[in-house]
Amino acid sequence: MHVLRIFGWSFAITAIGIAAAGVIGGGDAAAIVAILAVLEISLSFDNAVINATILRRMSEVWQRLFLSLGVIIAVFGMRLLFPIVIVALTAHLSPMDVFDLALNDEAEYAARLHEAHPSIAAFGGIFLFMIFLDFMFDPERDIQWLRWLEEPLRRAGQLDVLSVVTGLVALLVVAEAFSGDHTQQVLTAGVAGLATYLGVRGLGEFFEARGIGADDEDEDEDEGTSAQATGSASAERRTGTPDLVLATGRAAFFLFLYLEVIDASFSFDGVVGAFAISQNIFIIATGLGIGAMYIRSTTVYLVRRGTLSEYVFLEHGAHYAIGALAVILAVSIETEVHEVVTGLIGVAFIGLALLSSIRFRAKERKAAEIESGAGGTGPDGQDSDGAVDSGGLGGGGDKASPVGTSS
């Protein structure tokens, strides 16, 4: 794996974007583009971890599409066209009128977008909150970071509809208690966000579970068969996770669509917050687009490197960051929350999860070295019945200072 090959386009787009901004708008424009890129990266690093958990289930063809077509959607679709569509819907204007407003009256356009923030926050907040809930209520999740919290929720997750019920109750609470005069607006956008989440993810899981993704063309089936014949070493080389079945066809398409909606949900706060730095839609799209490119390159890097398998609690930290971002979006409907706070919370969860993962790996290696000669555990940290012995933060038990667990 060559790092330059993965991040090469990000470096190139950065140079082109900043240079173009400098030529057209001068040094100030170039500096603003750089600041917006850093803002997007800091706000969305947890997005890269979440994306990697999904992208590693997709074939290399779809991973490349994520870096090519996906970036076009992210930059022009979410950072440029999406705000225009939102303003058009909430202000009851045509998209062309809104585009004209963005070009000729940037202050008014920013004000109209700010008025649409309750709908944006409700849609994105409920979508992200559902991702968090489905992770916490997943009854098949083996590795646990905070056992005292995650184990009861995992057991409760055996009730399939619990995450949906919890999401609806949370939406009602936010609409009634935290939305001020925007109750109807929040409820409508929240229900739309919930329906989008259930629809896109449900279709992706439906096709993936039935293997329909590989049935679109006979060639896809032949490729899947030959890939299995090469053994798990090839799968691990491509995905960083041994024996991982890669989705293709319609299954991969809906996973790709799910990734794009996740990216949209993460970009809401960045798009709205960017108007505090600049009101020029092209500068905003360029800066945030550069940041989005780095997030996507980081996603592919995590997949190819197998980082999620190596640092087992990174996924947990990213989901806690998602839960925090969902709460922040709900609070921001009536109370302004600075982007720095949002970014720091995400970085804090990722950092703590990384430290716990490193500590866990060190304990596993030490235990393997001690027990390898005695036959108590194998080199992979498994006991005689194959269960991973990893303890749990705050989970108690006989182990000293445990950092994680598996059910």
Side-chain angles (χ1 to χ4, degrees):
M1 178 197 65
H2 300 287
V3 175
L4 185 60
R5 182 180 301 173
I6 295 177
F7 286 90
W9 279 108
S10 298
F11 297 148
I13 290 176
T14 300
I16 294 172
I18 294 179
V23 171
I24 297 173
D28 291 342
I32 291 174
V33 166
I35 291 171
L36 289 172
V38 173
L39 172 68
E40 178 71 6
I41 295 172
S42 64
L43 287 176
S44 302
F45 182 76
D46 46 353
N47 189 14
V49 180
I50 296 298
N51 287 348
T53 66
I54 302 168
L55 195 66
R56 63 177 175 172
R57 294 154 54 191
M58 300 165 66
S59 66
E60 285 192 25
V61 172
W62 284 94
Q63 290 179 12
R64 288 194 293 269
L65 282 175
F66 178 73
L67 270 179
S68 55
L69 176 62
V71 168
I72 297 175
I73 296 173
V75 176
F76 294 100
M78 288 311 307
R79 274 75 181 179
L80 185 61
L81 297 181
F82 176 77
I84 292 176
V85 172
I86 288 294
V87 172
L89 292 175
T90 56
H92 305 290
L93 298 172
S94 70
M96 290 306 298
D97 290 338
V98 176
F99 187 70
D100 180 70
L101 193 67
L103 290 178
N104 300 312
D105 194 346
E106 297 174 352
E108 178 64 18
Y109 173 74
R112 293 295 182 96
L113 184 61
H114 187 268
E115 291 175 2
H117 178 69
S119 296
I120 297 173
F123 184 97
I126 193 64
F127 192 95
L128 294 176
F129 193 56
M130 288 303 300
I131 296 175
F132 170 74
L133 290 178
D134 274 348
F135 178 80
M136 298 301 291
F137 288 138
D138 183 5
E140 299 179 357
R141 182 162 52 87
D142 294 328
I143 303 298
Q144 296 179 2
W145 184 26
L146 307 179
R147 178 179 173 83
W148 58 271
L149 174 63
E150 296 175 21
E151 177 60 18
L153 295 179
R154 185 193 68 82
R155 293 179 179 176
Q158 296 179 22
L159 182 62
D160 292 337
V161 298
L162 186 58
S163 61
V164 177
V165 172
T166 304
L168 284 172
V169 171
L171 177 60
L172 289 173
V173 171
V174 170
E176 291 296 329
F178 300 101
S179 61
D181 298 330
H182 308 289
T183 300
Q184 185 63 43
Q185 195 176 351
V186 168
L187 282 175
T188 302
V191 171
L194 180 60
T196 301
Y197 174 83
L198 294 176
V200 175
R201 179 159 189 171
L203 286 171
E205 291 178 348
F206 174 82
F207 286 118
E208 186 180 11
R210 285 156 180 76
I212 296 178
D215 295 335
D216 289 341
E217 296 179 0
D218 293 337
E219 295 179 0
D220 289 337
E221 292 181 357
D222 295 339
E223 290 177 3
T225 303
S226 62
Q228 276 190 331
T230 60
S232 62
S234 176
E236 184 173 6
R237 177 182 58 82
R238 294 195 314 267
T239 67
T241 305
D243 301 326
L244 186 64
V245 179
L246 300 180
T248 59
R250 278 173 285 181
F253 169 76
F254 281 105
L255 286 175
F256 177 82
L257 185 59
Y258 179 53
L259 275 174
E260 294 305 316
V261 180
I262 290 178
D263 179 73
S265 300
F266 271 94
S267 69
F268 289 152
D269 55 339
V271 171
V272 176
F275 279 90
I277 301 174
S278 173
Q279 295 181 340
N280 186 301
I281 59 172
F282 297 108
I283 288 180
I284 290 175
T286 302
L288 297 184
I290 291 173
M293 186 65 193
Y294 277 100
I295 292 300
R296 286 167 182 267
S297 296
T298 302
T299 298
V300 174
Y301 176 80
L302 293 175
V303 171
R304 302 285 172 83
R305 180 72 183 269
T307 305
L308 296 182
S309 299
E310 189 175 358
Y311 300 99
V312 295
F313 301 131
L314 269 183
E315 185 178 357
H316 297 70
H319 279 90
Y320 280 108
I322 281 181
L325 178 56
V327 173
I328 289 173
L329 285 173
V331 172
S332 69
I333 293 174
E334 283 293 303
T335 304
E336 184 176 355
V337 180
H338 200 279
E339 291 78 15
V340 173
V341 175
T342 305
L344 288 179
I345 289 177
V347 171
F349 276 117
I350 295 293
L352 289 173
L354 178 61
L355 291 176
S356 294
S357 300
I358 295 173
R359 184 183 179 193
F360 171 72
R361 289 182 59 204
K363 285 180 176 291
E364 287 288 286
R365 285 197 295 264
K366 184 176 181 180
E369 292 173 358
I370 294 176
E371 299 292 341
S372 59
T377 60
D380 58 353
Q382 292 185 347
D383 57 22
S384 59
D385 63 0
V388 180
D389 180 16
S390 54
L393 255 179
D398 297 329
K399 299 281 187 297
S401 304
V403 293
T405 188
S406 84
S407 309

